[in-house]
Amino acid sequence: MEKWVVLVLLSFALKGLSQDTYDWLSIDCGSLTKTTTASGILWQTDEKFTKAGINKLVSTDNFNSLGVLNSLRAFTQQNKNCYNLPTTASSRYFLRAAFYYGNYDGLSNPPTFDLEIDENKWTTVVSSLVAPVYYEVIYASKGDNIFVCLAQTVANQFPFISSLEAWPITDTMYNHMDRNLAWLNSYRYNYGTKDLILGYPEDSYNRIWIPAIPSGMVAKIANTTTLSHTTDEQPPDTVILDAIEAPGPIDSISLLFNMSKNNSLYYIEAYFTGMEIDDTRSFDIYVNNNYLITRSPEFENCTGAWTTTNNHTGTLTTVELRPTAESTLPPIISAIEVYTASDPLVTTGTSQDDLDGLAAFVSKFEQLQGWSGEPCLPTRWQWLGCNSGGPLRVNSIYLSGYGLEGPLPDFRQMTGLETIDLSNNRLNGDIPDFLGSLPNLKQLVTGNPHLGHHKKENKALTSVVAVILVVVAGVYLIKRRACKGKVTKPGLSGKLNSHEDNASTAHLRPNPPPVSPVSPVAPTIPLRRPNQQQNPPNPPAAASAGNTDPTAQASNHSRPSPRQEDIPISGNATDIR
């Protein structure tokens, strides 16, 4: 099984620090403060690694002395919530996620949800009401980070996490595993003991070893305290120096492992050592009744045997140690690890153009800043639609009612968009011109009264200014014509101050020259086209609360209503307001 339920609380605080742990990452999820254990391990808060979720504590009835499990981070708002873990490109990592429900919400209903890595599903988390649950995987990073995500799969069952760890392994460890797959730890048993090994410092590579003495087997302890040689996987000496053996020299050891996935690939590694200097035992190893190798364990020397197998007959995998004819002692085994291969990993995620466009949304609006990780795989963000064939593109944005405020960001690179729903928000500013050039856009739903309002005010102001200029030009020409009609005859002095004077001299005035009729011509004000860079005229200042000018009020009521043609949309796009 890919799940371990540890009946005693995991003592993660027993880890220490050495020169080899500087690049380990340990996150105490939901904690308000970072802590350093007595042995030197730094447990960080998760604020640097995720912006989603809320901090919670387990119920007081479930409190214990292991502080790392008393806090957790719960995710009740988003369907997908990710941690961004810094890594080194192409390095392989052990990842471990732990979940201790502790009835933190008082509902006595531990949730089930999915755990994901980058674009791929890791496993399904089935949390427990009474005990911690943890999951481990070996995974090769593709870049400078790994996203570990929690996705809601059942209504009203909200994901949570108690701790998250990542530490690198050497290239020689588990080097027979295909690096193009993730390897989920299904079993890791330390045979012949009742002591639980909780990672570092007992294990230099931080692995948890579950004690086991199968029914009918005999527990053994080696007559030494050191090993002179071990395998590339470097299991702890304390794991190898105790073991189980069959009851008699002709008896076999049969170990059964119930795997959760049928027809999957498994990796099995078993470890052996001799108990005495003069051990004379040898045995054949069979996996699912297929011969693997013969082993003769040596005193103070750890040897291993590994295989990959694909069980086509069901989920039950069997490992058998059968004594050879030459052996005088029963078969023996110290420890075993079993891993399940993931499905083929998705290596190409959402288009980088879409990632850049979504990043603009996330950075612009506070309500979206909890979203991170791969947006379309394996669980897509709840406000997106993604295509199902060909290069992975975002084709829909559904942000209705998210409380977004302010102008829209620039997301012109998201050329796969077919539908954009931005209704029921408080967006404002101009409707971006680039929306008209999105080649696949078919439906734009705005529904924000103030979105595009600025541009419409400018158009109204431009029309008013044009009318005023026409009137001014007409008045000017009329006055100019009137002035030309008032001409005094040469040779006559004095002013014509009376009606009589005007009458007596009327016959002396020459007729004015004919004037051609002139029609006033309004100056043209070029309207800005969408692709021009000049700034639009400033909108008229809004009237103050105390303004009672009826002219200003009438102007406001006469403002033209929004028109659909103000939104440039190519093709057969529709704007629904």
PDB file of all heavy atoms in Angstrom, residues 75-81 150-152 158-159 358 367-368 371-372 374-376 379-386 396-402:
ATOM      1  N   PHE A  75      -7.254  23.998   3.439  1.00  0.00           N
ATOM      2  CA  PHE A  75      -7.560  24.689   2.192  1.00  0.00           C
ATOM      3  C   PHE A  75      -9.053  24.549   1.897  1.00  0.00           C
ATOM      4  O   PHE A  75      -9.503  23.496   1.449  1.00  0.00           O
ATOM      5  CB  PHE A  75      -6.723  24.122   1.051  1.00  0.00           C
ATOM      6  CG  PHE A  75      -5.240  24.147   1.332  1.00  0.00           C
ATOM      7  CD1 PHE A  75      -4.596  23.031   1.870  1.00  0.00           C
ATOM      8  CD2 PHE A  75      -4.496  25.288   1.082  1.00  0.00           C
ATOM      9  CE1 PHE A  75      -3.246  23.054   2.138  1.00  0.00           C
ATOM     10  CE2 PHE A  75      -3.126  25.313   1.351  1.00  0.00           C
ATOM     11  CZ  PHE A  75      -2.498  24.199   1.886  1.00  0.00           C
ATOM     12  N   THR A  76      -9.798  25.611   2.171  1.00  0.00           N
ATOM     13  CA  THR A  76     -11.263  25.548   2.075  1.00  0.00           C
ATOM     14  C   THR A  76     -11.824  26.397   0.935  1.00  0.00           C
ATOM     15  O   THR A  76     -13.027  26.366   0.707  1.00  0.00           O
ATOM     16  CB  THR A  76     -11.892  26.013   3.393  1.00  0.00           C
ATOM     17  OG1 THR A  76     -11.487  27.372   3.649  1.00  0.00           O
ATOM     18  CG2 THR A  76     -11.451  25.135   4.552  1.00  0.00           C
ATOM     19  N   GLN A  77     -10.997  27.168   0.233  1.00  0.00           N
ATOM     20  CA  GLN A  77     -11.494  28.106  -0.764  1.00  0.00           C
ATOM     21  C   GLN A  77     -11.233  27.676  -2.198  1.00  0.00           C
ATOM     22  O   GLN A  77     -12.037  27.939  -3.083  1.00  0.00           O
ATOM     23  CB  GLN A  77     -10.864  29.495  -0.531  1.00  0.00           C
ATOM     24  CG  GLN A  77     -11.172  30.084   0.837  1.00  0.00           C
ATOM     25  CD  GLN A  77     -12.657  30.303   1.045  1.00  0.00           C
ATOM     26  OE1 GLN A  77     -13.356  30.775   0.158  1.00  0.00           O
ATOM     27  NE2 GLN A  77     -13.150  29.958   2.230  1.00  0.00           N
ATOM     28  N   GLN A  78     -10.123  27.024  -2.450  1.00  0.00           N
ATOM     29  CA  GLN A  78      -9.716  26.690  -3.815  1.00  0.00           C
ATOM     30  C   GLN A  78      -9.754  25.178  -4.017  1.00  0.00           C
ATOM     31  O   GLN A  78      -9.559  24.410  -3.077  1.00  0.00           O
ATOM     32  CB  GLN A  78      -8.304  27.211  -4.097  1.00  0.00           C
ATOM     33  CG  GLN A  78      -8.151  28.695  -3.913  1.00  0.00           C
ATOM     34  CD  GLN A  78      -6.735  29.191  -4.126  1.00  0.00           C
ATOM     35  OE1 GLN A  78      -6.464  30.387  -4.019  1.00  0.00           O
ATOM     36  NE2 GLN A  78      -5.807  28.300  -4.433  1.00  0.00           N
ATOM     37  N   ASN A  79      -9.960  24.773  -5.267  1.00  0.00           N
ATOM     38  CA  ASN A  79      -9.971  23.332  -5.539  1.00  0.00           C
ATOM     39  C   ASN A  79      -8.570  22.762  -5.686  1.00  0.00           C
ATOM     40  O   ASN A  79      -8.377  21.546  -5.620  1.00  0.00           O
ATOM     41  CB  ASN A  79     -10.786  23.029  -6.801  1.00  0.00           C
ATOM     42  CG  ASN A  79     -10.090  23.487  -8.075  1.00  0.00           C
ATOM     43  OD1 ASN A  79      -9.417  24.521  -8.091  1.00  0.00           O
ATOM     44  ND2 ASN A  79     -10.245  22.722  -9.146  1.00  0.00           N
ATOM     45  N   LYS A  80      -7.567  23.626  -5.857  1.00  0.00           N
ATOM     46  CA  LYS A  80      -6.188  23.167  -5.996  1.00  0.00           C
ATOM     47  C   LYS A  80      -5.275  24.154  -5.290  1.00  0.00           C
ATOM     48  O   LYS A  80      -5.381  25.366  -5.494  1.00  0.00           O
ATOM     49  CB  LYS A  80      -5.810  23.059  -7.478  1.00  0.00           C
ATOM     50  CG  LYS A  80      -4.415  22.515  -7.739  1.00  0.00           C
ATOM     51  CD  LYS A  80      -4.197  22.285  -9.229  1.00  0.00           C
ATOM     52  CE  LYS A  80      -2.831  21.691  -9.500  1.00  0.00           C
ATOM     53  NZ  LYS A  80      -2.648  21.372 -10.951  1.00  0.00           N
ATOM     54  N   ASN A  81      -4.373  23.630  -4.456  1.00  0.00           N
ATOM     55  CA  ASN A  81      -3.519  24.470  -3.618  1.00  0.00           C
ATOM     56  C   ASN A  81      -2.110  23.891  -3.639  1.00  0.00           C
ATOM     57  O   ASN A  81      -1.919  22.703  -3.372  1.00  0.00           O
ATOM     58  CB  ASN A  81      -4.050  24.501  -2.188  1.00  0.00           C
ATOM     59  CG  ASN A  81      -5.529  24.836  -2.139  1.00  0.00           C
ATOM     60  OD1 ASN A  81      -5.918  25.989  -2.058  1.00  0.00           O
ATOM     61  ND2 ASN A  81      -6.378  23.801  -2.198  1.00  0.00           N
ATOM     62  N   LEU A 150      -2.331  19.980  -3.413  1.00  0.00           N
ATOM     63  CA  LEU A 150      -3.427  19.245  -2.795  1.00  0.00           C
ATOM     64  C   LEU A 150      -4.705  19.649  -3.516  1.00  0.00           C
ATOM     65  O   LEU A 150      -5.013  20.841  -3.635  1.00  0.00           O
ATOM     66  CB  LEU A 150      -3.532  19.568  -1.305  1.00  0.00           C
ATOM     67  CG  LEU A 150      -2.289  19.257  -0.462  1.00  0.00           C
ATOM     68  CD1 LEU A 150      -1.405  20.507  -0.336  1.00  0.00           C
ATOM     69  CD2 LEU A 150      -2.669  18.768   0.918  1.00  0.00           C
ATOM     70  N   ALA A 151      -5.454  18.660  -4.008  1.00  0.00           N
ATOM     71  CA  ALA A 151      -6.632  18.932  -4.819  1.00  0.00           C
ATOM     72  C   ALA A 151      -7.866  18.316  -4.183  1.00  0.00           C
ATOM     73  O   ALA A 151      -7.874  17.129  -3.821  1.00  0.00           O
ATOM     74  CB  ALA A 151      -6.441  18.380  -6.231  1.00  0.00           C
ATOM     75  N   GLN A 152      -8.898  19.121  -4.042  1.00  0.00           N
ATOM     76  CA  GLN A 152     -10.160  18.626  -3.492  1.00  0.00           C
ATOM     77  C   GLN A 152     -10.847  17.726  -4.512  1.00  0.00           C
ATOM     78  O   GLN A 152     -10.970  18.065  -5.688  1.00  0.00           O
ATOM     79  CB  GLN A 152     -11.074  19.793  -3.127  1.00  0.00           C
ATOM     80  CG  GLN A 152     -12.378  19.380  -2.468  1.00  0.00           C
ATOM     81  CD  GLN A 152     -13.243  20.572  -2.080  1.00  0.00           C
ATOM     82  OE1 GLN A 152     -12.917  21.712  -2.399  1.00  0.00           O
ATOM     83  NE2 GLN A 152     -14.346  20.315  -1.406  1.00  0.00           N
ATOM     84  N   PHE A 158     -12.192  19.015   2.749  1.00  0.00           N
ATOM     85  CA  PHE A 158     -11.173  19.996   2.392  1.00  0.00           C
ATOM     86  C   PHE A 158      -9.775  19.452   2.664  1.00  0.00           C
ATOM     87  O   PHE A 158      -9.498  18.928   3.748  1.00  0.00           O
ATOM     88  CB  PHE A 158     -11.400  21.286   3.173  1.00  0.00           C
ATOM     89  CG  PHE A 158     -12.748  21.899   2.924  1.00  0.00           C
ATOM     90  CD1 PHE A 158     -13.705  21.961   3.932  1.00  0.00           C
ATOM     91  CD2 PHE A 158     -13.073  22.378   1.668  1.00  0.00           C
ATOM     92  CE1 PHE A 158     -14.953  22.508   3.695  1.00  0.00           C
ATOM     93  CE2 PHE A 158     -14.324  22.936   1.422  1.00  0.00           C
ATOM     94  CZ  PHE A 158     -15.262  23.006   2.438  1.00  0.00           C
ATOM     95  N   PRO A 159      -8.874  19.598   1.699  1.00  0.00           N
ATOM     96  CA  PRO A 159      -7.499  19.139   1.902  1.00  0.00           C
ATOM     97  C   PRO A 159      -6.812  19.894   3.037  1.00  0.00           C
ATOM     98  O   PRO A 159      -7.152  21.041   3.348  1.00  0.00           O
ATOM     99  CB  PRO A 159      -6.829  19.430   0.560  1.00  0.00           C
ATOM    100  CG  PRO A 159      -7.942  19.557  -0.421  1.00  0.00           C
ATOM    101  CD  PRO A 159      -9.093  20.122   0.351  1.00  0.00           C
ATOM    102  N   LEU A 358      -1.575  34.081 -17.197  1.00  0.00           N
ATOM    103  CA  LEU A 358      -2.189  33.812 -15.899  1.00  0.00           C
ATOM    104  C   LEU A 358      -1.405  34.463 -14.774  1.00  0.00           C
ATOM    105  O   LEU A 358      -1.978  34.923 -13.784  1.00  0.00           O
ATOM    106  CB  LEU A 358      -2.299  32.305 -15.682  1.00  0.00           C
ATOM    107  CG  LEU A 358      -3.262  31.568 -16.618  1.00  0.00           C
ATOM    108  CD1 LEU A 358      -3.173  30.065 -16.396  1.00  0.00           C
ATOM    109  CD2 LEU A 358      -4.693  32.045 -16.419  1.00  0.00           C
ATOM    110  N   GLN A 367      -7.241  38.703  -4.967  1.00  0.00           N
ATOM    111  CA  GLN A 367      -8.115  37.540  -4.786  1.00  0.00           C
ATOM    112  C   GLN A 367      -7.574  36.288  -5.480  1.00  0.00           C
ATOM    113  O   GLN A 367      -8.018  35.174  -5.188  1.00  0.00           O
ATOM    114  CB  GLN A 367      -9.517  37.851  -5.333  1.00  0.00           C
ATOM    115  CG  GLN A 367     -10.251  38.947  -4.591  1.00  0.00           C
ATOM    116  CD  GLN A 367      -9.903  40.335  -5.141  1.00  0.00           C
ATOM    117  OE1 GLN A 367      -8.908  40.509  -5.838  1.00  0.00           O
ATOM    118  NE2 GLN A 367     -10.723  41.321  -4.812  1.00  0.00           N
ATOM    119  N   LEU A 368      -6.624  36.439  -6.384  1.00  0.00           N
ATOM    120  CA  LEU A 368      -6.101  35.294  -7.151  1.00  0.00           C
ATOM    121  C   LEU A 368      -4.702  34.883  -6.715  1.00  0.00           C
ATOM    122  O   LEU A 368      -4.133  33.954  -7.287  1.00  0.00           O
ATOM    123  CB  LEU A 368      -6.084  35.635  -8.648  1.00  0.00           C
ATOM    124  CG  LEU A 368      -7.419  36.040  -9.281  1.00  0.00           C
ATOM    125  CD1 LEU A 368      -7.229  36.328 -10.766  1.00  0.00           C
ATOM    126  CD2 LEU A 368      -8.467  34.952  -9.077  1.00  0.00           C
ATOM    127  N   TRP A 371      -3.260  31.183  -6.144  1.00  0.00           N
ATOM    128  CA  TRP A 371      -3.180  30.190  -7.206  1.00  0.00           C
ATOM    129  C   TRP A 371      -1.756  30.070  -7.726  1.00  0.00           C
ATOM    130  O   TRP A 371      -1.112  31.064  -8.048  1.00  0.00           O
ATOM    131  CB  TRP A 371      -4.129  30.569  -8.346  1.00  0.00           C
ATOM    132  CG  TRP A 371      -5.561  30.516  -7.943  1.00  0.00           C
ATOM    133  CD1 TRP A 371      -6.323  31.550  -7.480  1.00  0.00           C
ATOM    134  CD2 TRP A 371      -6.406  29.365  -7.929  1.00  0.00           C
ATOM    135  NE1 TRP A 371      -7.592  31.118  -7.183  1.00  0.00           N
ATOM    136  CE2 TRP A 371      -7.681  29.774  -7.458  1.00  0.00           C
ATOM    137  CE3 TRP A 371      -6.223  28.024  -8.286  1.00  0.00           C
ATOM    138  CZ2 TRP A 371      -8.741  28.892  -7.322  1.00  0.00           C
ATOM    139  CZ3 TRP A 371      -7.279  27.151  -8.154  1.00  0.00           C
ATOM    140  CH2 TRP A 371      -8.516  27.580  -7.685  1.00  0.00           C
ATOM    141  N   SER A 372      -1.270  28.834  -7.809  1.00  0.00           N
ATOM    142  CA  SER A 372       0.078  28.580  -8.319  1.00  0.00           C
ATOM    143  C   SER A 372       0.126  27.153  -8.831  1.00  0.00           C
ATOM    144  O   SER A 372      -0.842  26.401  -8.726  1.00  0.00           O
ATOM    145  CB  SER A 372       1.132  28.804  -7.218  1.00  0.00           C
ATOM    146  OG  SER A 372       0.941  27.885  -6.147  1.00  0.00           O
ATOM    147  N   GLU A 374       0.846  24.058 -11.783  1.00  0.00           N
ATOM    148  CA  GLU A 374       0.348  23.772 -13.120  1.00  0.00           C
ATOM    149  C   GLU A 374      -1.167  24.027 -13.179  1.00  0.00           C
ATOM    150  O   GLU A 374      -1.923  23.403 -12.438  1.00  0.00           O
ATOM    151  CB  GLU A 374       0.666  22.317 -13.482  1.00  0.00           C
ATOM    152  CG  GLU A 374      -0.079  21.746 -14.653  1.00  0.00           C
ATOM    153  CD  GLU A 374       0.079  22.543 -15.931  1.00  0.00           C
ATOM    154  OE1 GLU A 374       1.212  22.941 -16.255  1.00  0.00           O
ATOM    155  OE2 GLU A 374      -0.935  22.777 -16.613  1.00  0.00           O
ATOM    156  N   PRO A 375      -1.633  24.937 -14.059  1.00  0.00           N
ATOM    157  CA  PRO A 375      -3.044  25.333 -14.020  1.00  0.00           C
ATOM    158  C   PRO A 375      -4.022  24.340 -14.640  1.00  0.00           C
ATOM    159  O   PRO A 375      -5.213  24.395 -14.335  1.00  0.00           O
ATOM    160  CB  PRO A 375      -3.053  26.655 -14.801  1.00  0.00           C
ATOM    161  CG  PRO A 375      -1.867  26.576 -15.698  1.00  0.00           C
ATOM    162  CD  PRO A 375      -0.840  25.787 -14.967  1.00  0.00           C
ATOM    163  N   CYS A 376      -3.536  23.447 -15.511  1.00  0.00           N
ATOM    164  CA  CYS A 376      -4.457  22.556 -16.232  1.00  0.00           C
ATOM    165  C   CYS A 376      -4.315  21.084 -15.861  1.00  0.00           C
ATOM    166  O   CYS A 376      -5.242  20.305 -16.117  1.00  0.00           O
ATOM    167  CB  CYS A 376      -4.255  22.706 -17.743  1.00  0.00           C
ATOM    168  SG  CYS A 376      -4.802  24.287 -18.422  1.00  0.00           S
ATOM    169  N   THR A 379      -5.221  18.384 -12.081  1.00  0.00           N
ATOM    170  CA  THR A 379      -6.455  19.080 -11.710  1.00  0.00           C
ATOM    171  C   THR A 379      -6.342  20.515 -12.182  1.00  0.00           C
ATOM    172  O   THR A 379      -5.352  21.189 -11.895  1.00  0.00           O
ATOM    173  CB  THR A 379      -6.664  19.050 -10.183  1.00  0.00           C
ATOM    174  OG1 THR A 379      -6.748  17.693  -9.748  1.00  0.00           O
ATOM    175  CG2 THR A 379      -7.931  19.789  -9.796  1.00  0.00           C
ATOM    176  N   ARG A 380      -7.326  20.988 -12.934  1.00  0.00           N
ATOM    177  CA  ARG A 380      -7.259  22.363 -13.433  1.00  0.00           C
ATOM    178  C   ARG A 380      -7.834  23.326 -12.393  1.00  0.00           C
ATOM    179  O   ARG A 380      -8.681  22.976 -11.586  1.00  0.00           O
ATOM    180  CB  ARG A 380      -8.000  22.498 -14.760  1.00  0.00           C
ATOM    181  CG  ARG A 380      -9.477  22.224 -14.686  1.00  0.00           C
ATOM    182  CD  ARG A 380     -10.161  22.536 -16.011  1.00  0.00           C
ATOM    183  NE  ARG A 380     -11.562  22.166 -15.982  1.00  0.00           N
ATOM    184  CZ  ARG A 380     -12.526  22.898 -15.439  1.00  0.00           C
ATOM    185  NH1 ARG A 380     -12.220  24.048 -14.856  1.00  0.00           N
ATOM    186  NH2 ARG A 380     -13.774  22.487 -15.457  1.00  0.00           N
ATOM    187  N   TRP A 381      -7.325  24.550 -12.446  1.00  0.00           N
ATOM    188  CA  TRP A 381      -7.850  25.591 -11.573  1.00  0.00           C
ATOM    189  C   TRP A 381      -9.343  25.765 -11.841  1.00  0.00           C
ATOM    190  O   TRP A 381      -9.789  25.713 -12.994  1.00  0.00           O
ATOM    191  CB  TRP A 381      -7.146  26.920 -11.826  1.00  0.00           C
ATOM    192  CG  TRP A 381      -5.681  26.913 -11.501  1.00  0.00           C
ATOM    193  CD1 TRP A 381      -4.961  25.893 -10.961  1.00  0.00           C
ATOM    194  CD2 TRP A 381      -4.769  27.994 -11.705  1.00  0.00           C
ATOM    195  NE1 TRP A 381      -3.659  26.253 -10.807  1.00  0.00           N
ATOM    196  CE2 TRP A 381      -3.504  27.551 -11.256  1.00  0.00           C
ATOM    197  CE3 TRP A 381      -4.887  29.270 -12.220  1.00  0.00           C
ATOM    198  CZ2 TRP A 381      -2.371  28.348 -11.313  1.00  0.00           C
ATOM    199  CZ3 TRP A 381      -3.758  30.080 -12.278  1.00  0.00           C
ATOM    200  CH2 TRP A 381      -2.525  29.625 -11.831  1.00  0.00           C
ATOM    201  N   GLN A 382     -10.105  26.024 -10.807  1.00  0.00           N
ATOM    202  CA  GLN A 382     -11.559  26.019 -10.928  1.00  0.00           C
ATOM    203  C   GLN A 382     -12.094  27.147 -11.801  1.00  0.00           C
ATOM    204  O   GLN A 382     -13.238  27.084 -12.265  1.00  0.00           O
ATOM    205  CB  GLN A 382     -12.189  26.110  -9.533  1.00  0.00           C
ATOM    206  CG  GLN A 382     -11.882  27.412  -8.795  1.00  0.00           C
ATOM    207  CD  GLN A 382     -12.160  27.308  -7.310  1.00  0.00           C
ATOM    208  OE1 GLN A 382     -12.025  26.243  -6.720  1.00  0.00           O
ATOM    209  NE2 GLN A 382     -12.554  28.423  -6.699  1.00  0.00           N
ATOM    210  N   TRP A 383     -11.315  28.171 -12.069  1.00  0.00           N
ATOM    211  CA  TRP A 383     -11.797  29.278 -12.897  1.00  0.00           C
ATOM    212  C   TRP A 383     -11.259  29.248 -14.318  1.00  0.00           C
ATOM    213  O   TRP A 383     -11.337  30.246 -15.043  1.00  0.00           O
ATOM    214  CB  TRP A 383     -11.499  30.628 -12.237  1.00  0.00           C
ATOM    215  CG  TRP A 383     -10.091  30.854 -11.772  1.00  0.00           C
ATOM    216  CD1 TRP A 383      -9.552  30.432 -10.600  1.00  0.00           C
ATOM    217  CD2 TRP A 383      -9.063  31.595 -12.446  1.00  0.00           C
ATOM    218  NE1 TRP A 383      -8.237  30.841 -10.497  1.00  0.00           N
ATOM    219  CE2 TRP A 383      -7.918  31.562 -11.616  1.00  0.00           C
ATOM    220  CE3 TRP A 383      -8.993  32.273 -13.658  1.00  0.00           C
ATOM    221  CZ2 TRP A 383      -6.730  32.185 -11.961  1.00  0.00           C
ATOM    222  CZ3 TRP A 383      -7.798  32.894 -14.012  1.00  0.00           C
ATOM    223  CH2 TRP A 383      -6.689  32.847 -13.169  1.00  0.00           C
ATOM    224  N   LEU A 384     -10.742  28.086 -14.718  1.00  0.00           N
ATOM    225  CA  LEU A 384     -10.186  27.949 -16.069  1.00  0.00           C
ATOM    226  C   LEU A 384     -10.855  26.805 -16.810  1.00  0.00           C
ATOM    227  O   LEU A 384     -11.370  25.858 -16.215  1.00  0.00           O
ATOM    228  CB  LEU A 384      -8.678  27.678 -16.010  1.00  0.00           C
ATOM    229  CG  LEU A 384      -7.772  28.751 -15.427  1.00  0.00           C
ATOM    230  CD1 LEU A 384      -6.326  28.282 -15.473  1.00  0.00           C
ATOM    231  CD2 LEU A 384      -7.941  30.074 -16.164  1.00  0.00           C
ATOM    232  N   GLY A 385     -10.808  26.887 -18.138  1.00  0.00           N
ATOM    233  CA  GLY A 385     -11.091  25.764 -19.012  1.00  0.00           C
ATOM    234  C   GLY A 385      -9.865  25.520 -19.870  1.00  0.00           C
ATOM    235  O   GLY A 385      -9.183  26.465 -20.284  1.00  0.00           O
ATOM    236  N   CYS A 386      -9.539  24.251 -20.125  1.00  0.00           N
ATOM    237  CA  CYS A 386      -8.356  23.892 -20.904  1.00  0.00           C
ATOM    238  C   CYS A 386      -8.755  22.923 -22.003  1.00  0.00           C
ATOM    239  O   CYS A 386      -9.682  22.122 -21.825  1.00  0.00           O
ATOM    240  CB  CYS A 386      -7.283  23.253 -20.013  1.00  0.00           C
ATOM    241  SG  CYS A 386      -6.772  24.290 -18.617  1.00  0.00           S
ATOM    242  N   SER A 396     -10.564  29.051 -21.700  1.00  0.00           N
ATOM    243  CA  SER A 396     -11.660  29.771 -21.050  1.00  0.00           C
ATOM    244  C   SER A 396     -11.190  30.348 -19.719  1.00  0.00           C
ATOM    245  O   SER A 396     -10.387  29.729 -19.013  1.00  0.00           O
ATOM    246  CB  SER A 396     -12.859  28.843 -20.793  1.00  0.00           C
ATOM    247  OG  SER A 396     -13.288  28.214 -21.984  1.00  0.00           O
ATOM    248  N   ILE A 397     -11.694  31.517 -19.417  1.00  0.00           N
ATOM    249  CA  ILE A 397     -11.485  32.149 -18.110  1.00  0.00           C
ATOM    250  C   ILE A 397     -12.860  32.488 -17.548  1.00  0.00           C
ATOM    251  O   ILE A 397     -13.650  33.197 -18.186  1.00  0.00           O
ATOM    252  CB  ILE A 397     -10.627  33.419 -18.227  1.00  0.00           C
ATOM    253  CG1 ILE A 397      -9.188  33.051 -18.623  1.00  0.00           C
ATOM    254  CG2 ILE A 397     -10.633  34.200 -16.922  1.00  0.00           C
ATOM    255  CD1 ILE A 397      -8.291  34.262 -18.804  1.00  0.00           C
ATOM    256  N   TYR A 398     -13.158  31.970 -16.357  1.00  0.00           N
ATOM    257  CA  TYR A 398     -14.447  32.210 -15.699  1.00  0.00           C
ATOM    258  C   TYR A 398     -14.186  32.858 -14.335  1.00  0.00           C
ATOM    259  O   TYR A 398     -13.961  32.174 -13.344  1.00  0.00           O
ATOM    260  CB  TYR A 398     -15.208  30.901 -15.519  1.00  0.00           C
ATOM    261  CG  TYR A 398     -15.473  30.156 -16.802  1.00  0.00           C
ATOM    262  CD1 TYR A 398     -14.680  29.066 -17.157  1.00  0.00           C
ATOM    263  CD2 TYR A 398     -16.507  30.518 -17.654  1.00  0.00           C
ATOM    264  CE1 TYR A 398     -14.914  28.365 -18.335  1.00  0.00           C
ATOM    265  CE2 TYR A 398     -16.749  29.826 -18.825  1.00  0.00           C
ATOM    266  CZ  TYR A 398     -15.945  28.752 -19.164  1.00  0.00           C
ATOM    267  OH  TYR A 398     -16.179  28.072 -20.319  1.00  0.00           O
ATOM    268  N   LEU A 399     -14.194  34.178 -14.303  1.00  0.00           N
ATOM    269  CA  LEU A 399     -13.889  34.908 -13.072  1.00  0.00           C
ATOM    270  C   LEU A 399     -15.090  35.716 -12.586  1.00  0.00           C
ATOM    271  O   LEU A 399     -14.928  36.734 -11.920  1.00  0.00           O
ATOM    272  CB  LEU A 399     -12.679  35.821 -13.294  1.00  0.00           C
ATOM    273  CG  LEU A 399     -11.325  35.114 -13.330  1.00  0.00           C
ATOM    274  CD1 LEU A 399     -10.220  36.065 -13.766  1.00  0.00           C
ATOM    275  CD2 LEU A 399     -10.992  34.508 -11.968  1.00  0.00           C
ATOM    276  N   SER A 400     -16.288  35.268 -12.912  1.00  0.00           N
ATOM    277  CA  SER A 400     -17.485  35.977 -12.480  1.00  0.00           C
ATOM    278  C   SER A 400     -17.618  35.945 -10.962  1.00  0.00           C
ATOM    279  O   SER A 400     -17.518  34.885 -10.331  1.00  0.00           O
ATOM    280  CB  SER A 400     -18.726  35.343 -13.115  1.00  0.00           C
ATOM    281  OG  SER A 400     -19.910  35.961 -12.654  1.00  0.00           O
ATOM    282  N   GLY A 401     -17.820  37.127 -10.368  1.00  0.00           N
ATOM    283  CA  GLY A 401     -18.079  37.212  -8.939  1.00  0.00           C
ATOM    284  C   GLY A 401     -16.888  36.976  -8.047  1.00  0.00           C
ATOM    285  O   GLY A 401     -17.052  36.627  -6.883  1.00  0.00           O
ATOM    286  N   TYR A 402     -15.680  37.195  -8.530  1.00  0.00           N
ATOM    287  CA  TYR A 402     -14.486  36.993  -7.714  1.00  0.00           C
ATOM    288  C   TYR A 402     -14.071  38.253  -6.948  1.00  0.00           C
ATOM    289  O   TYR A 402     -13.062  38.230  -6.245  1.00  0.00           O
ATOM    290  CB  TYR A 402     -13.323  36.517  -8.583  1.00  0.00           C
ATOM    291  CG  TYR A 402     -13.240  35.011  -8.721  1.00  0.00           C
ATOM    292  CD1 TYR A 402     -14.204  34.313  -9.423  1.00  0.00           C
ATOM    293  CD2 TYR A 402     -12.226  34.287  -8.121  1.00  0.00           C
ATOM    294  CE1 TYR A 402     -14.153  32.935  -9.546  1.00  0.00           C
ATOM    295  CE2 TYR A 402     -12.156  32.903  -8.237  1.00  0.00           C
ATOM    296  CZ  TYR A 402     -13.122  32.243  -8.949  1.00  0.00           C
ATOM    297  OH  TYR A 402     -13.070  30.859  -9.068  1.00  0.00           O
TER     298      TYR A 402
END
